Amino acid sequence: MQVLIVGAGAIGSLYGALLAKAGVEVAVVSRSDYESILGGGIHIRSPLGEWLFKPKAVYREVGEAKPAPDYLILCTKVLPQLDRAALIRKALGPDTVIVLIQNGVEIEDEIALAFPEHELISGLAFVCVSRTGPGRVWHQAYGQLKLGTFPCGISPKVQELCQAFERAGIHAEATADIVAARWSKCVWNAPFNPLSVLSGGLTTDLLLTEEPLIRALMAEVVAIAKALGHPLPPEIIDQNIESTRRMPPYETSMLLDFKAGRPLETEAILGNAVRAAYRVGVKVPHLETVYALMRLRELQLAQHRA
Amino acid sequence: MQVLIVGAGAIGSLYGALLAKAGVEVAVVSRSDYESILGGGIHIRSPLGEWLFKPKAVYREVGEAKPAPDYLILCTKVLPQLDRAALIRKALGPDTVIVLIQNGVEIEDEIALAFPEHELISGLAFVCVSRTGPGRVWHQAYGQLKLGTFPCGISPKVQELCQAFERAGIHAEATADIVAARWSKCVWNAPFNPLSVLSGGLTTDLLLTEEPLIRALMAEVVAIAKALGHPLPPEIIDQNIESTRRMPPYETSMLLDFKAGRPLETEAILGNAVRAAYRVGVKVPHLETVYALMRLRELQLAQHRA
């Protein structure tokens, strides 16, 4: 089993390192950390231990990766300025399975349309992990994965991949409706990620002081998912509120990106949700307000940088 | 005609100075600039000229003002932490007319209920004016007033006050429906003021890149006004968009307050609008989202200061 990780940031490095631990041959593509990974591998600090992940090969460009892998795991952010299909095209062999471990909703179509002959596995990571320097990754907490065949089902390839992650000590759950799983995750992401930025940096506990707004945003996500044929369990909103209330004060990943000046996944999380709502005729006034405000916030950031 | 200005900030100083120019006896209450105004008056720089306004009297506290004025003009911000009725009570004689030159919607009831025996004039200033230092006011542009008896009508006292302002070179329009005038101003304020803050500081021209959101917020304000019995002209939204498009890039007053660390009139502009909507059963999802986000933004500011 040969795996190529494209996008060896925090997520890609961690899951690549875990697969390597499970005996998989893992190569990585890293443009920014190429030298450091080539020279010294990737140091992983994790609740699962501390170890050095030495990839089987390190590439600066996807096109250099030979031979074609069994699985190409794409772990980049989903950003409008990144053409993901163009990024991975050169590394695909005829039998390569494409795996997305990426955030957002409705992020698969672009890849499925570009590569209709390839099996596509869509995945979500529930993990707290950050890159602390070149070739250094700190896995702070959680780590479980949800993986499913896109658009639905659990193929043997999904099962094989889940088993490899499980061997490495990570809970990897195969799901027959990964699209529903994406909307389910979006129930939390759609309110908490943008509100953490628009509030000027509040942690989750303080965002909950506006619980009615958070519930309204969650309800709109639930309504979109239902109209798309992926009804979510009725208790999902209460559960998300309760579990967030029990969490320690938490800075969302979008807030961390914002503070670090990194690009934000506004389109993957909010933009795609709002566009899906328009397509199926669901009214989402709270989401569209937050989405428009995030675009203004990002316009201001761009102006400020220019 | 004796006038007492309570709140000699930029607005109060300017309109007090204009009335004095028109021959009215004007005293002022200023806690923060007391020494400087007492010693040197208030320097006014304006398209109407540059002059020194020497109030007939300067008081540090409202309770010191004697005798009771014919008109008490309240020019403070409308903030939850400021009890306006308590502030002005001690300066009212039996025949004192209370005049509000203040921002927001539904800001009169509190005063009308506290002083049912007093005539209440409600007023709006359309003006670009700022305090540039103790006893120094820069009137940059505009200046027109709308004044009306609350809850409706044009009393002789309103006419008298308008005439005094007109003598000073300011257009002061008497309106029989000042409540409608407030909602009309809110059509612009409700979107542009908070969006300028939530966007991180964008000027009006850039806020207009999210014109659909701005129109949605305006439409909700129009719907509230209609349900309250103050229908606004149907072209009001187009007119506001067009006139803003023709303006030079403009930082809203709320943005200037925000940048200067001054308190924001979120409750007077947005909170009161949303509460009015709930009272009359009008759905305002865009307004309530922006309102909740402003509260989060202000919570973050308060945390940051603490």
Side-chain angles (χ1 to χ4, degrees):
Chain A
M1 182 175 170
Q2 302 213 336
V3 164
L4 178 68
I5 301 282
V6 177
I11 297 262
S13 297
L14 174 63
Y15 289 106
L18 288 165
L19 288 174
K21 224 182 166 197
V24 176
E25 289 188 3
V26 180
V28 305
V29 180
S30 171
R31 186 186 301 247
S32 54
D33 291 356
Y34 172 79
E35 302 288 351
S36 131
I37 299 177
L38 191 68
I42 301 175
H43 179 266
I44 308 283
R45 176 178 154 208
S46 160
L48 299 168
E50 197 162 342
W51 74 97
L52 190 70
F53 162 42
K54 295 282 275 183
K56 193 182 159 249
V58 187
Y59 307 107
R60 204 189 289 270
E61 300 285 346
V62 175
E64 299 164 3
K66 295 277 176 279
D70 300 318
Y71 294 85
L72 183 153
I73 306 187
L74 182 60
C75 298
T76 62
K77 277 195 185 157
V78 178
L79 301 169
Q81 62 269 34
L82 176 67
D83 183 338
R84 293 179 294 150
L87 176 66
I88 65 174
R89 179 167 282 117
K90 285 186 183 165
L92 298 176
D95 300 319
T96 301
V97 175
I98 304 170
V99 183
L100 311 178
I101 300 185
Q102 300 188 297
N103 252 325
V105 289
E106 306 221 316
I107 63 158
E108 298 96 342
D109 286 333
E110 184 187 333
I111 302 298
L113 286 168
F115 308 109
E117 310 295 321
H118 288 262
E119 179 173 343
L120 177 56
I121 297 176
S122 183
L124 289 164
F126 299 81
V127 65
C128 199
V129 61
S130 53
R131 175 185 169 282
T132 55
R136 298 195 71 83
V137 167
W138 181 25
H139 172 205
Q140 288 158 274
Y142 312 105
Q144 64 271 33
L145 290 168
K146 280 197 183 174
L147 298 167
T149 311
F150 182 81
C152 59
I154 300 174
S155 69
K157 294 287 186 183
V158 168
Q159 296 171 48
E160 186 185 39
L161 199 55
C162 285
Q163 284 156 12
F165 281 115
E166 293 276 352
R167 283 200 304 277
I170 276 291
H171 182 50
E173 181 188 332
T175 172
D177 190 353
I178 188 66
V179 171
R182 284 201 175 275
W183 285 102
S184 180
K185 192 177 183 191
C186 188
V187 168
W188 195 92
N189 277 338
F192 284 102
N193 272 299
L195 264 52
S196 66
V197 171
L198 292 170
S199 69
L202 289 180
T203 46
T204 45
D205 54 323
L206 294 171
L207 295 176
L208 279 170
T209 58
E210 295 295 339
E211 186 179 320
L213 172 60
I214 289 169
R215 285 181 177 269
L217 290 161
M218 289 178 168
E220 289 177 359
V221 174
V222 167
I224 304 167
K226 185 178 175 190
L228 289 169
H230 300 279
L232 304 178
E235 65 278 12
I236 192 167
I237 294 178
D238 285 343
Q239 279 176 351
N240 268 279
I241 296 286
E242 287 315 308
S243 65
T244 310
R245 210 176 279 296
R246 282 193 307 269
M247 279 162 47
Y250 176 73
E251 295 197 328
T252 69
S253 60
M254 192 179 274
L255 176 57
L256 296 175
D257 284 340
F258 177 79
K259 287 166 110 177
R262 293 187 293 258
L264 309 181
E265 291 186 307
T266 303
E267 293 303 327
I269 294 169
L270 273 177
N272 287 354
V274 168
R275 282 183 283 274
Y278 291 163
R279 206 172 67 233
V280 291
V282 172
K283 287 210 189 309
V284 290
H286 299 88
L287 283 173
E288 70 191 4
T289 304
V290 170
Y291 175 42
L293 285 168
M294 280 302 297
R295 287 196 300 205
L296 290 174
R297 193 71 192 82
E298 292 188 81
L299 174 61
Q300 193 276 340
L301 280 176
Q303 294 271 320
H304 195 68
R305 279 195 209 102
Chain B
M1 182 173 170
Q2 302 214 334
V3 164
L4 179 68
I5 303 282
V6 178
I11 296 262
S13 297
L14 173 64
Y15 289 106
L18 288 165
L19 288 174
K21 223 181 167 200
V24 175
E25 290 188 0
V26 180
V28 305
V29 181
S30 171
R31 185 186 301 245
S32 53
D33 291 356
Y34 173 79
E35 303 288 352
S36 133
I37 299 176
L38 190 69
I42 301 175
H43 180 266
I44 309 283
R45 177 178 153 207
S46 161
L48 299 167
E50 196 160 343
W51 75 98
L52 189 71
F53 162 43
K54 295 282 274 182
K56 193 182 159 250
V58 186
Y59 306 107
R60 205 189 290 269
E61 299 284 347
V62 176
E64 298 165 3
K66 295 279 175 274
D70 301 318
Y71 294 85
L72 183 153
I73 307 186
L74 182 60
C75 299
T76 60
K77 276 194 186 160
V78 178
L79 300 170
Q81 62 270 34
L82 176 67
D83 183 339
R84 293 178 295 149
L87 176 67
I88 65 174
R89 178 168 282 116
K90 285 186 183 166
L92 298 176
D95 300 319
T96 301
V97 176
I98 304 169
V99 183
L100 311 178
I101 301 186
Q102 299 187 298
N103 252 326
V105 289
E106 307 221 313
I107 63 159
E108 298 97 343
D109 286 332
E110 182 186 334
I111 303 298
L113 287 168
F115 308 109
E117 311 294 321
H118 287 263
E119 180 174 340
L120 177 58
I121 297 177
S122 183
L124 289 165
F126 299 82
V127 65
C128 197
V129 62
S130 53
R131 175 184 171 282
T132 54
R136 298 195 70 84
V137 167
W138 180 25
H139 172 204
Q140 289 157 273
Y142 312 104
Q144 65 270 30
L145 291 168
K146 280 197 184 175
L147 297 167
T149 312
F150 182 82
C152 58
I154 300 174
S155 70
K157 294 288 187 186
V158 169
Q159 296 171 47
E160 186 184 39
L161 199 56
C162 284
Q163 285 155 15
F165 281 117
E166 293 276 352
R167 284 202 300 281
I170 275 290
H171 182 52
E173 181 188 332
T175 172
D177 190 353
I178 188 66
V179 172
R182 283 200 177 277
W183 284 102
S184 180
K185 192 177 184 191
C186 188
V187 168
W188 195 92
N189 277 339
F192 284 102
N193 272 300
L195 264 52
S196 66
V197 171
L198 292 170
S199 68
L202 289 180
T203 46
T204 45
D205 53 323
L206 294 172
L207 294 177
L208 279 170
T209 58
E210 294 295 338
E211 187 179 319
L213 173 60
I214 290 170
R215 284 182 177 268
L217 291 161
M218 289 179 168
E220 289 176 358
V221 174
V222 168
I224 304 167
K226 185 178 177 190
L228 290 168
H230 300 279
L232 304 178
E235 64 278 13
I236 192 166
I237 293 177
D238 286 342
Q239 279 176 352
N240 269 280
I241 296 285
E242 288 313 310
S243 66
T244 309
R245 210 175 278 296
R246 283 193 307 268
M247 281 163 47
Y250 176 74
E251 294 197 330
T252 70
S253 60
M254 192 178 274
L255 177 56
L256 296 175
D257 284 340
F258 177 79
K259 286 165 108 176
R262 294 188 293 258
L264 309 182
E265 290 186 306
T266 304
E267 292 304 327
I269 293 169
L270 273 178
N272 287 355
V274 167
R275 282 182 283 274
Y278 291 162
R279 206 173 66 235
V280 292
V282 172
K283 286 210 190 311
V284 290
H286 298 88
L287 282 173
E288 71 191 3
T289 304
V290 170
Y291 175 43
L293 285 167
M294 280 302 297
R295 287 196 301 206
L296 289 175
R297 194 70 192 80
E298 293 188 82
L299 174 60
Q300 193 276 340
L301 280 176
Q303 295 270 323
H304 195 69
R305 278 197 209 100

